[in-house]
């Protein structure tokens, strides 16, 4: 198994043919390969091998159609050390097996920050409207990296088929607005996406300030530039029309980036 | 003339305030703060062993990269009317971020207050011997032998071995890891301040001997020098006025003139020393045996050549390689040729390797890890003071991991660490003047890998830079790569991950101060951030032309990786410039709203 894995994981172009045949053999061994990966290949990895473990789990699960790789990961989670759990959760989030969402619920409040972040990611990877409340809860007190990850997942939840329904997403829009003024750019960036999805692209639901009536530089504490960024992410005709109207409210040095 | 030009450039650099301008022109108008650009992983588990303070500071605060370029110019030129390299200032740069901080700091403190190199006194000879003996005594002779063998495998043999299959490569990797663990463990036991002290005293002695010859002329100067060396109890090896053939391994060697041949071989023992001065003639320096490592392995080797068109022919770990030691070559004049294979022409690994060529149209050729390269706790510097020079990394080692038709260069201002483990060092190529040509392929020209700093500084002249990938201001995997060109109409050509590109939390900066410059790339270049990296291309003045095969991945581009945005900033502050379609003179642009995009912003003023 070592030989198959090491050959399949190598990146050199000259090994392409061997790589392909070893990968085929690994996939053919199914459950045995999963067992091997979990037992032997989660530590002492080169960066390339780490990446290949993730790829291989994805291939084995065949976009979620094959369940045993996900079940094996879920089964292994309790026994592995904290250092390995984030990688397993990350792998679970990329496999396409929607049943793994519940694993995110299980680890969302774990002590380890890295584990919590990947658990949050899992909820975004397999989004359900019910996850929104869980992700929003505790968002304010989460460290920057977790705040960002939860917002990423919220963006996915609200962007999913049912996530932005008025009864689900709509009522949360107001709860996301504080993160538009977060001190971290990464958090603001993700909050904009989450809010745009939360509103389901419905320009009216967010309640953009009227550029002609608002007097201040920061309507509701949010800068015109952030409103502009939000409008451009929504990108619907009425949002873009609003951005044209609001252009004059941007500082001249900022305006040229949006309207060259 | 050259000095005036240098001074002008220095003033221009500091006046430019180029990253302050970036802050005003791009960051503030887009509500980005410098702290948003902290490149450290948010969930980093433990500090990187052997990380240098200078590199870690840059990753945490990328705005200090401007200061870095200026600081290095000052450091190199500081207080030196003749612009001789000053070892003191280089040692101080090797200050670790965490562990072993005391050792180098002590070295820095002991050197910081003295004038250039310090004044030589006869009693210093015993200090030299004692310091080197103590330093060598930190490891057993067999351990030094192993260090030499492992280092050779790191930088020479492994790179040549492309015959292994995938499993063989993995076995080799695991074996190499075991050996590297041993190497780094032993390196922890070395107390480098003893090496620093010896190098400082030896540079003072070498300078005293040079002064004797300068003031008294070659004949009387030789007598005075002999007196000094013998009084110090060091081994004295004089040459004659005619052509001589010297076989050298250690001691003090002076040759007053003639076209000489210097056959230099390391004696293979730690704690050795070599001072070599050649006063005139067209000389040939040959490295006849590389099995015993660099002359500066585990000791100190200082070579000075005053004039003549000289040839330096090395193989691996040459005359200006400092491997657990110090190797310094200074060539004051002449059109010189430097030719070597691996780890030559300014290579440092747990030590200093410096090549300073002060004047002449010089040619530098090597194959790998050369021309200003720093490995862990090492500083490699190639400093050329003037002339129209050619720097070439020959295509020898196929970049097996990525290509069949491109070659690893890893040089021309490059630093690398041992990814996911030990950090890299500092590699600098500094060219003060002349119309120069730089040619390389993969990893070169102000590039770095895993907690290293690669710096290419060219002050003046119309230069041409050619590479393919990871080049021209490219920081790859939590590393910092800076390319900085002062003036001249320059040409930059590379394929990708180049020209101000940061990849995987790396910082890449290409700064062009003056001149009508031309940039050509395919993708992920010209101010591009990939996988949470930060890339910046900043051009201050001149009518420039930008060419990109995939403009959407250049000129201010950032992708989205690990669910977070990368940063790519492009800024051209002056002149009517030529752009691909979609970009404008006197305007700005940014990419918003696309799911796979991070923060790509451009500005032409």
């Amino acid at each position: 198994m070592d030989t198959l894995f090491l050959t399949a994981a190598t990146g050199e172009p000259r090994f392409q043919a061997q790589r392909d045949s070893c990968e085929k053999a690994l996939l053919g061994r199914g459950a045995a390969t999963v067992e091997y990966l979990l037992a032997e290949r989660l530590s002492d990895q080169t960066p390339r091998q780490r990446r290949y473990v993730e790829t291989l789990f994805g291939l084995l699960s065949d976009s979620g159609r094959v369940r045993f790789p996900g079940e094996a990961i879920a089964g292994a989670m309790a026994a592995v050390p904290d250092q390995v759990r984030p990688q397993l959760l990350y792998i679970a989030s990329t496999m396409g097996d929607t049943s793994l969402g519940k694993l995110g619920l299980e680890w969302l409040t774990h002590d380890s920050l890295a584990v919590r972040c990947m658990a949050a990611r899992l909820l975004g990877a397999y989004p359900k409207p019910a996850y929104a409340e869980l992700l929003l809860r505790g968002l304010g007190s989460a460290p920057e990296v977790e705040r960002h990850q939860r917002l990423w997942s919220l963006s996915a939840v609200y962007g999913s088929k049912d996530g932005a329904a008025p009864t689900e997403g709509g009522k949360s829009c107001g709860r996301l607005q504080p993160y538009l003024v977060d001190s971290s750019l990464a958090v603001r960036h993700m909050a904009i996406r989450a809010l745009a999805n939360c509103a389901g692209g419905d320009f009216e639901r967010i309640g953009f300030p009227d550029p002609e009536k608002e007097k201040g530089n920061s309507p509701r504490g949010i800068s015109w530039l952030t409103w502009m960024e939000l409008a451009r992410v929504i990108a619907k005709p009425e949002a873009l029309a609003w951005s044209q109207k609001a252009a004059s409210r941007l500082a001249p040095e900022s305006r040229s980036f949006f309207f060259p | 003339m050259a000095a005036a030009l240098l001074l002008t450039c220095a003033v221009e650099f500091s006046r430019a305030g180029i990253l302050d301008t970036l802050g005003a022109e791009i960051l503030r108008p887009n509500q980005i703060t410098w702290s948003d650009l902290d490149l450290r992983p948010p969930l980093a588990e433990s500090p990187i062993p052997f990380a240098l303070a200078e590199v870690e500071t840059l990753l945490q605060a990328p705005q200090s990269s401007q200061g870095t370029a200026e600081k290095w110019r000052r450091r190199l030129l500081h207080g030196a009317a003749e612009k001789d390299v000053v070892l003191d200032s280089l040692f101080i740069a090797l200050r670790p971020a965490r562990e072993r901080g005391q050792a180098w700091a002590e070295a820095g403190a002991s050197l910081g207050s003295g004038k250039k190199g310090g004044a030589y006194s006869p009693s210093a000879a015993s200090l030299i011997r004692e310091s080197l003996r103590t330093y060598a005594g930190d490891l057993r002779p067999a351990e030094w032998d192993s260090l030499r063998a492992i280092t050779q495998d790191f930088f020479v043999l492994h790179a040549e071995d492309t015959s292994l299959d995938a499993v063989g490569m993995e076995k080799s990797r695991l074996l190499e890891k075991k050996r590297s663990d041993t190497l780094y463990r032993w390196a922890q036991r070395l107390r480098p301040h003893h090496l620093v002290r010896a190098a400082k005293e030896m540079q003072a002695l070498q300078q005293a001997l040079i002064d004797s010859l300068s003031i008294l002329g070659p004949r009387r100067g030789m007598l005075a020098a002999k007196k000094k060396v013998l009084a110090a109890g060091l081994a004295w090896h004089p040459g004659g006025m005619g052509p001589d053939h010297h076989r050298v391994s250690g001691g003090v060697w002076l040759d007053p003139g003639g076209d000489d041949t210097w056959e230099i071989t390391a004696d293979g023992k730690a704690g050795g020393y070599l001072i070599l001065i050649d006063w005139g003639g067209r000389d040939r320096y040959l490295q006849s045996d590389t099995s015993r490592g660099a002359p500066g392995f585990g000791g100190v080797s200082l070579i000075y050549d005053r004039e003549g068109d000289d040839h330096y022919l090395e193989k691996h770990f040459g005359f200006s390689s400092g491997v657990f030691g110090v190797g310094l070559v200074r060539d004051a004049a002449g059109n010189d040729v430097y030719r070597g294979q691996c780890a030559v022409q300014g290579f440092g690994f747990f030590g200093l390797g410096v090549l300073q060529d002060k004047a002449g149209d010089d040619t530098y050729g090597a194959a790998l890890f050369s021309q200003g390269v720093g490995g862990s706790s090492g500083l490699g510097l190639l400093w050329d003071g003037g002339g129209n020079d050619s720097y070439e990394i020959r295509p020898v080692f196929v970049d097996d991991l990525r290509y069949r038709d491109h070659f690893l260069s890893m040089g021309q201002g490059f630093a690398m660490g041992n990814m996911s483990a030990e950090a890299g060092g500092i590699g600098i190529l500094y060219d003060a003047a002349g119309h120069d040509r730089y040619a390389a392929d993969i990893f070169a020209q102000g590039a770095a890998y895993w907690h290293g700093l690669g710096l290419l500084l060219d002050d003046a002249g119309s230069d041409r830079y050619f590479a393919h990938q990871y080049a021209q201001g490219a920081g790859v995997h939590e590393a910092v790569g800076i390319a900085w060109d002062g003036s001249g109409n320059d040409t930059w050509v590379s394929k990708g991950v180049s020209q101000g590109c940061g990849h995987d939390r790396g910082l890449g900066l290409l700064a062009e101060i003056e001149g009508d410059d031309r940039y050509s790339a395919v993708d992920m270049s010209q101010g591009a951030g990939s996988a949470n990296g930060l890339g910046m291309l900043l051009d201050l003045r001149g009518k420039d032309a930008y060419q990109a095969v995939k403009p959407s991945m250049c000129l201010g581009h950032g992708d989205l990786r690990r669910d977070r945005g990368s940063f790519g900033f492009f800024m051209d502050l002056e002149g009517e410039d030529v752009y691909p379609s979609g970009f404008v003179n006197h305007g700005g642009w940014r990419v918003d709203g696309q799911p796979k995009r991070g923060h790509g912003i451009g500005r032409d003023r």
Side-chain angles (χ1 to χ4, degrees):
Chain A
M1 201 68 107
D2 273 345
T3 302
L4 291 177
F5 177 84
L6 294 174
T7 306
T10 182
E12 282 84 339
R14 67 193 163 107
F15 294 132
Q16 184 69 52
Q18 296 100 304
R19 192 161 65 225
D20 291 348
S21 70
C22 288
E23 185 169 278
K24 206 171 159 191
L26 284 168
L27 294 175
R29 293 181 190 200
T33 299
V34 168
E35 202 175 307
Y36 167 77
L37 293 177
L38 290 171
E40 306 290 339
R41 288 292 156 194
L42 295 178
S43 59
D44 195 27
Q45 304 156 309
T46 62
R48 187 173 290 276
Q49 288 168 354
R50 181 184 173 89
R51 182 80 190 269
Y52 188 68
V53 168
E54 294 161 8
T55 303
L56 198 50
F57 266 109
L59 292 171
L60 285 160
S61 72
D62 191 15
S63 305
R65 280 184 282 273
V66 178
R67 303 293 289 277
F68 68 82
E71 287 163 0
I73 284 179
M77 273 298 287
V80 297
D82 266 353
Q83 292 90 322
V84 173
R85 285 180 179 135
Q87 192 189 7
L88 287 184
L89 290 170
Y90 175 78
I91 291 170
S93 76
T94 61
M95 287 167 62
D97 181 347
T98 53
S99 69
L100 291 170
K102 61 180 185 298
L103 203 55
L105 295 175
E106 203 178 313
W107 294 91
L108 190 62
T109 54
H110 188 68
D111 289 345
S112 157
L113 175 59
V115 171
R116 287 203 306 277
C117 283
M118 284 304 111
R121 190 180 205 281
L122 207 45
L123 299 184
Y126 308 114
K128 287 183 180 171
Y131 295 161
E133 183 54 34
L134 291 168
L135 289 164
L136 279 165
R137 204 184 300 153
L139 185 57
S141 58
E144 189 264 5
V145 60
E146 185 182 352
R147 217 155 64 234
H148 169 267
Q149 195 65 61
R150 281 172 178 251
L151 283 164
W152 179 87
S153 291
L154 278 166
S155 167
V157 167
Y158 293 135
S160 66
K161 211 172 94 191
D162 304 320
T167 50
E168 296 297 338
K171 62 188 176 192
S172 300
C173 287
R175 292 168 73 183
L176 289 172
Q177 287 202 6
Y179 301 98
L180 295 179
V181 294
D182 197 282
S183 59
S184 157
L185 172 69
V187 171
R188 291 201 305 275
H189 188 220
M190 215 40 78
I192 285 171
R193 291 176 188 221
L195 187 54
N197 285 346
C198 175
D202 184 345
F203 176 74
E204 297 299 330
R205 202 189 287 178
I206 290 175
F208 275 76
D210 187 335
E212 285 160 5
K213 290 183 183 158
E214 288 282 351
K215 298 275 188 262
N217 289 331
S218 311
R220 275 171 268 158
I222 299 162
S223 69
W224 284 105
L225 188 128
T226 302
W227 287 115
M228 185 69 72
E229 289 172 329
L230 179 57
R232 285 163 63 105
V233 169
I234 291 175
K236 294 276 174 69
E238 54 272 43
L240 296 176
W242 178 91
S243 72
Q244 291 289 340
K245 262 171 62 183
S248 62
R249 303 306 304 266
L250 289 177
E253 63 271 23
S254 302
R255 198 180 307 144
S256 69
F257 291 100
F258 294 93
F259 305 98
Chain B
M1 175 63 186
L5 195 57
L6 284 172
L7 189 62
T8 310
C9 276
V11 172
E12 288 299 327
F13 274 25
S14 52
R15 269 193 199 153
I18 192 164
L19 289 182
D20 296 338
T21 311
L22 177 84
E25 293 281 338
I26 286 184
L27 300 190
R28 273 199 294 284
N30 288 287
Q31 289 184 172
I32 299 171
T33 64
W34 284 111
S35 63
D36 289 321
L37 306 180
D38 184 340
L39 293 167
R40 294 171 302 169
L43 291 168
E45 286 163 10
S46 52
I48 306 298
F50 297 96
L52 297 178
E54 181 149 355
V55 182
E56 300 310 296
T57 303
L58 283 165
L59 291 171
Q60 183 183 354
Q63 66 270 33
S64 52
S65 50
Q66 173 178 336
T68 297
E70 289 175 356
K71 184 171 64 187
W72 272 103
R73 297 182 74 265
R74 275 201 306 275
R75 222 175 234 167
L76 297 178
L77 302 173
H78 170 68
E82 320 84 27
K83 296 178 197 67
D84 281 323
V85 74
V86 184
L87 290 177
D88 307 22
S89 58
L90 303 183
F91 282 124
I92 291 166
L94 290 174
R95 188 165 61 83
R98 282 175 191 267
E99 79 281 33
R100 302 177 77 237
Q102 191 53 39
W104 286 105
E106 190 184 329
S110 71
L111 294 165
S113 57
K115 59 181 182 177
K116 182 186 73 176
Y120 172 72
S121 71
S123 63
S126 60
L127 190 60
I128 293 172
R129 281 194 300 264
E130 183 54 35
S131 298
L132 286 173
R133 199 165 30 238
T134 309
Y135 179 68
D138 286 340
L139 296 178
R140 288 189 288 274
E143 291 171 332
W144 278 110
D145 288 344
S146 293
L147 275 192
R148 186 181 298 107
I150 297 170
T151 309
Q152 293 235 3
D153 286 355
F154 265 20
F155 296 105
V156 184
L157 300 179
H158 181 67
E160 286 175 336
D161 195 349
T162 55
S163 60
L164 295 171
D165 64 12
V167 176
M169 283 177 61
E170 176 68 6
K171 281 183 183 159
S172 157
R173 183 188 75 80
L174 291 172
L175 181 65
E176 189 178 288
K177 184 170 183 322
K178 255 190 191 167
R179 300 179 79 204
S180 84
D181 288 346
T182 304
L183 180 147
Y184 282 102
R185 200 172 58 246
W186 287 345
Q188 297 270 19
R189 280 170 40 204
L190 291 170
R191 291 167 293 168
H193 59 278
H194 291 296
L195 179 70
V196 173
R197 191 170 296 139
K200 178 195 169 188
E201 295 300 339
M202 279 182 61
Q203 197 179 21
L205 170 60
Q206 188 189 41
Q207 192 57 49
L209 301 178
I210 291 168
D211 290 346
S212 298
L213 289 160
S214 295
I215 296 163
L216 301 172
R219 286 184 199 282
R220 286 176 56 210
M222 285 290 283
L223 291 174
K226 179 182 178 183
K227 233 170 145 178
K228 280 194 176 89
V229 173
L230 292 179
L234 301 173
W236 165 250
H237 304 278
M241 291 299 289
D244 296 310
H245 189 119
H246 300 288
R247 288 187 176 82
V248 177
S249 64
V252 181
W253 296 72
L254 268 80
D255 190 293
D259 299 345
D260 306 310
T261 298
W262 294 92
E263 207 175 305
I264 302 173
T265 307
D267 65 6
K269 289 179 188 149
Y273 69 92
L274 168 66
I275 292 177
L276 190 160
I277 297 170
D278 188 289
W279 204 245
R282 298 176 170 200
D283 308 305
R284 284 164 63 85
Y285 294 82
L286 309 174
Q287 188 188 18
S288 51
D289 176 8
T290 60
S291 64
R292 284 177 284 183
F297 177 87
V300 182
S301 161
L302 308 176
I303 296 174
Y304 176 82
D305 186 292
R306 193 177 68 100
E307 63 176 28
D309 299 342
D310 307 307
H311 279 68
Y312 295 81
L313 306 175
E314 311 157 272
K315 198 172 180 202
H316 311 310
F317 303 102
F319 313 125
S320 52
S321 297
V323 180
F324 299 98
V326 176
L328 168 64
V329 172
R330 287 185 293 157
D331 187 292
N335 301 325
D336 306 306
V337 174
Y338 298 85
R339 227 180 135 72
Q341 189 83 344
C342 297
V344 293
Q345 299 160 16
F347 172 86
F349 181 63
F350 287 98
L352 293 185
V354 180
L355 167 55
Q356 183 188 30
D357 188 294
K358 290 167 74 173
D361 299 339
D362 306 307
T363 304
Y364 302 88
L368 193 72
F369 295 127
S370 298
Q371 301 174 3
V373 173
S376 298
S377 287
L379 189 150
L381 168 66
L382 197 174
W383 174 1
D384 189 287
N388 303 328
D389 307 306
S390 167
Y391 302 89
E392 184 181 5
I393 306 281
R394 299 188 302 274
V396 176
F397 300 105
V398 175
D399 182 5
D400 224 24
L401 200 58
R402 282 164 283 260
Y403 296 105
R404 306 298 294 271
D405 56 352
H406 284 280
F407 299 83
L408 288 170
S409 299
M410 298 185 152
Q412 300 179 350
F414 175 74
M416 72 287 162
N418 204 7
M419 188 163 165
S420 298
E422 297 82 6
I426 299 174
I428 301 173
L429 198 170
Y430 173 49
D431 187 291
H435 309 302
D436 309 308
R437 177 180 170 275
Y438 301 82
D441 205 351
I442 310 283
F443 281 118
Q445 300 168 7
Y449 179 92
W450 192 248
H451 292 265
L453 165 63
L455 189 56
L456 170 59
L457 288 169
D458 188 297
D459 275 351
S462 295
D463 308 305
R464 288 170 294 158
Y465 303 87
F466 301 101
H468 185 74
Q469 191 169 322
Y470 305 127
Q472 302 172 358
V476 179
H477 302 303
E478 300 180 30
V480 184
I482 300 173
W484 192 293
D485 188 291
S487 64
N489 303 324
D490 306 307
T491 303
W492 299 86
V493 178
S494 189
K495 184 260 174 195
V497 199
S498 298
Q499 298 173 8
C501 178
H503 171 66
D504 188 15
R505 302 193 183 284
L507 163 62
L509 166 65
L510 169 53
E512 257 285 1
I513 309 302
E514 280 190 357
D516 301 338
D517 307 308
R518 291 203 272 176
Y519 304 84
S520 174
V522 174
D523 53 17
M524 199 55 82
S525 297
Q526 301 171 350
S530 148
N532 313 124
L534 163 61
M536 298 181 277
L537 168 52
L538 313 175
D539 187 296
L540 262 69
R541 286 187 275 276
K543 296 172 185 167
D544 309 303
Y546 300 93
Q547 186 182 43
V549 175
K550 296 178 184 169
S552 64
M553 292 178 72
C554 295
L555 295 159
H557 163 77
D559 66 11
L560 192 81
R561 200 79 71 87
R562 305 181 186 104
D563 313 326
R564 265 178 196 255
S566 314
F567 296 92
F569 301 133
F570 168 86
M571 184 174 77
D572 185 304
L573 287 178
E574 209 178 273
E576 289 295 321
D577 308 302
V578 178
Y579 288 102
S581 64
F583 299 87
V584 292
N585 269 289
H586 318 301
W589 53 89
R590 53 177 279 169
V591 179
D592 281 306
Q594 296 177 21
K596 299 284 182 192
R597 288 295 186 93
H599 310 277
I601 304 178
R603 175 90 167 96
D604 181 292
R605 192 165 72 180

